[in-house]
Amino acid sequence: MLFHCGSFTLDLSRPKVMGIVNVTPDSFSDGGRYDSFSNAIEHAHQLIEDGADMLDIGGESTRPGAAAVSEQEELDRVLPVIEGLRGIAVPVSIDTWKPVVMRAAIRAGASMVNDVNALQAEGALQAVAATGAAVCLMHKQGTPQSMQQQPDYADVVVEVADFLKRRMAVAVEAGIGRERIAVDPGFGFGKTLAHNLALLRGLEAFSALGAPLLAGVSRKSMLGAITGRGVTERLAASVAAAMLAVQRGAAIVRVHDVRETVDALKILNAVNEG
Ligand code: 7PM
């Protein structure tokens, strides 16, 4: 399957690794905006060297339970980074649900929109449709502030797949070509550990949607709940979960630890292609 991201075409016959680049103020130094900018640029180049096939740039507006970041603050954080990465060899994705940020980021060079809100904000469908950018439609239940309070599903796999199917249809209707739409069950977004495990166990069901499947499990609390480890100690669990997701059909894995995930996937590829 081919996936079109702006001027890039990704061949998904082999799984792809999306490296996470957070652009957040550094709480340990008072170096101001330039510090978070230069850290993000440096981190992005490191992830490419480590083998990332794409990068996801986020100004931390979509994190579960995170304080809302203003539109201007988000623009001020992410635009210089996207501009600073112009010309790199891999597509850059912008992690946002805000149409203004989508448009500005694409103008600045982003080739993909990663929207945890699945383009449900007013004007979001149009912001992507008007460009050649790809989109990842993600499922969540509830709002980032409240979603972990009372997650509830009759059948989590069926409900999440139905939602993604509906949002795909709406996106296609709005003029976004199928060849540039990916879907994501949204691990941890309004899901209990049991829901997350049911989704991972049943991930193959999402192949029926006919869109590339993106999975984000890296360092998530579901891994902490199983291993008892804190967020900085979840590398092995993250790599294992990414491998399991790919074995169950994920075409793209969104990860912090690119180097280790790329190595693990090389082993999987060698076995599968032998
Ligand atoms: C705290 C909790 C900080 C959770 C950050 C997170 C996904 C995503 C995120 C995902 C897609 C993280 C998450 N997760 N976008 N953005 N899929 N498409 O671990 O699973 O980065 S935020």
Side-chain angles (χ1 to χ4, degrees):
M1 191 168 358
L2 297 180
F3 186 49
H4 293 259
C5 296
S7 60
F8 293 87
T9 302
L10 297 184
D11 176 3
L12 300 181
S13 59
R14 283 225 191 98
K16 295 290 173 274
V17 174
M18 169 187 266
I20 301 170
V21 179
N22 287 316
V23 193
T24 53
D26 183 351
S27 49
F28 297 102
S29 78
D30 195 21
R33 242 184 233 301
Y34 183 74
D35 260 29
S36 56
F37 165 79
S38 60
N39 285 345
I41 295 283
E42 201 176 316
H43 189 212
H45 285 293
Q46 182 63 55
L47 295 184
I48 293 169
E49 197 175 304
D50 290 346
D53 299 296
M54 53 210 305
L55 297 177
D56 190 35
I57 313 291
E60 202 159 61
S61 65
T62 58
R63 307 293 177 255
V69 173
S70 77
E71 202 167 87
Q72 193 57 53
E73 174 65 21
E74 195 175 333
L75 288 166
D76 290 345
R77 286 183 189 177
V78 299
L79 287 187
V81 175
I82 294 168
E83 279 160 10
L85 292 173
R86 234 186 223 291
I88 60 168
V90 303
V92 166
S93 156
I94 172 70
D95 182 350
T96 190
W97 57 267
K98 297 188 181 94
V100 168
V101 178
M102 292 173 188
R103 286 182 187 269
I106 293 165
R107 231 180 296 122
S111 306
M112 177 169 171
V113 170
N114 174 26
D115 185 3
V116 303
N117 199 35
L119 302 181
Q120 293 176 101
E122 180 79 44
L125 286 160
Q126 294 78 1
V128 174
T131 71
V135 65
C136 177
L137 303 170
M138 198 197 79
H139 173 274
K140 63 176 162 51
Q141 184 175 86
T143 66
Q145 287 72 37
S146 67
M147 64 192 180
Q148 287 308 113
Q149 286 165 16
Q150 205 69 252
D152 180 55
Y153 302 85
D155 183 326
V156 67
V157 172
V158 168
E159 284 175 42
V160 171
D162 279 354
F163 171 84
L164 293 175
K165 189 176 179 180
R166 278 201 309 277
R167 293 310 299 169
M168 274 177 72
V170 170
V172 169
E173 184 61 30
I176 304 172
R178 287 186 184 277
E179 68 290 343
R180 52 187 181 112
I181 301 176
V183 296
D184 183 338
F187 288 99
F189 285 80
K191 283 112 185 166
T192 64
L193 172 60
H195 294 141
N196 288 315
L197 288 174
L199 283 171
L200 190 47
R201 204 176 284 126
L203 207 62
E204 276 167 6
F206 292 89
S207 304
L209 295 171
L213 185 61
L214 194 152
V217 288
S218 184
R219 300 183 186 174
K220 284 194 174 170
S221 64
M222 59 183 285
L223 306 179
I226 297 167
T227 59
R229 301 208 186 273
V231 66
T232 59
E233 304 294 327
R234 295 176 189 162
L235 172 59
S238 297
V239 173
M243 291 273 282
L244 290 167
V246 168
Q247 280 205 302
R248 286 160 174 74
I252 304 170
V253 284
R254 180 182 177 275
V255 308
H256 299 89
D257 303 291
V258 168
R259 200 171 95 113
E260 293 83 353
T261 307
V262 166
D263 272 7
L265 290 176
K266 281 182 181 170
I267 306 302
L268 184 66
N269 292 337
V271 171
N272 286 345
E273 289 165 19

